[in-house]
Amino acid sequence: MTNAMDAKTVNEDLKNPVARILGIETSCDETAASVVENGWEILSNAVASQADLHAQFGGIFPEVASRQHILAIYPIIDQALKEAHLILADLDGIAVTRGPGLPGSLVVGINMAKGLVIGSGLPLLGINHLEGHLYSAWLREEGKRKKNTPKFPLLALIVSGGHTELILMKDHLVYERLGGTLDDAAGEAFDKVARLLDLGYPGGPAVQEASEGGNPEAFEFPRAWLDDSYNFSFSGLKTAVLRTVQQLEKGKSKLPIPDLAASFQAAIIDVLIRKTLLAAEEYKTKDILIAGGVSANRALREQISSQKKYRVHIPPLSLCTDNAAMIAGAGCYRYCAGQRDDLEMDAAPTWSISEL
Ligand code: KG4
Ligand code: ZN
């Protein structure tokens, strides 16, 4: 067993966390388990996606998601341990997503984690899903530890199906929430516009693909700057796409899907990048971290990386969307900071990162 000590001086220990943690993630439509060592080394990363199942409904059906998690959870954990060539006794703790997420999905992972904790005597760690997305930037799929790990203070943008959050990360596990979406999340906007354009689910990758070869300036869709605050709003943009589509259909024109997709994508990315850069400027950070499902977007990655003023950290594509390595990674840090949860730990479906 790894000899990880409880944190005495938190910041010292957190530079090089020593722990081997099993992570479990069931907050949405991915059932996932992973073993991560020392906050960066992925020993295994098993993900069972329900995307195909939900595609027939054009979105996530919570009841179906929970039942699917029940079917997939045990085999996925078994796979994660086998791929890491480990048994429970080799671990230091079990980290599980406590929230935010779908209540019925979260409890499947949490109850499984509690069962494993009872059977093994290992500590239980309830992890915030958004913190997990942030810690995906420290992970390595293979090879040596990253040399260019993110440096603090760090400006972080989390863009996923459920969240759009600008966060100032002052140190490991220390956050100040600067703003977030007032209505739709960025990924949700991608998913809704994809449905509108009949592109399928999940919408982000479908819009990205449809936008290839399209003109991002073909349609002038609105950008909600909100007086340059750090909040976001994407519902007006979604309505503008709807109105444009209705008008084009009324005129019996064939929908110019690539132009519509590219113009919508450009509008969303413009706002995400401008607000991120504004915040980085105000809080004088040198590093920017972008995480969450939408950070897989090619145009977003290219555009933010084209500026040279800030060092940009974006996880590899496989770690952008939901996975358990990010939960295990964050779990290593939480374990070394001394966190221990008890068996009364409940799901926290609306848990904000500002409560951490
Ligand atoms: O982080 P994630 O897997 O789940 C949540 O925590 O919500 O994010 C899923 C979201 C979906 O809305 C999906 O459409 C979006 O990420 N997404 C993308 C891309 N890949 C996934 N959005 C834009 N471009 C992509 N390539
Ligand atoms: Zn997520």
Side-chain angles (χ1 to χ4, degrees), residues 40 137-138 145-152 287 311 313:
W40 67 272
W138 275 263
R145 185 178 189 156
K146 268 189 190 176
K147 282 210 181 73
N148 57 340
T149 52
K151 302 282 177 299
F152 303 113
D287 290 42
R311 276 189 303 263
H313 308 269

Side-chain angles (χ1 to χ4, degrees), residues 275-321:
K275 286 182 182 264
T276 303
L277 294 177
L278 268 177
E281 179 89 38
E282 180 178 345
Y283 289 93
K284 301 192 176 16
T285 69
K286 292 199 173 66
D287 290 42
I288 289 175
L289 188 168
I290 306 191
V294 180
S295 67
N297 185 270
R298 192 181 309 135
L300 172 65
R301 295 168 85 95
E302 282 172 5
Q303 217 165 302
I304 190 77
S305 303
S306 68
Q307 59 72 42
K308 297 293 167 232
K309 192 166 172 197
Y310 301 97
R311 276 189 303 263
V312 177
H313 308 269
I314 314 183
L317 289 181
S318 62
L319 298 175
C320 288
T321 47

Side-chain angles (χ1 to χ4, degrees), residues 97-121:
T97 306
R98 209 187 136 199
L102 300 169
S105 290
L106 289 167
V107 295
V108 177
I110 291 173
N111 282 342
M112 185 72 201
K114 286 181 182 177
L116 294 175
V117 161
I118 291 168
S120 65

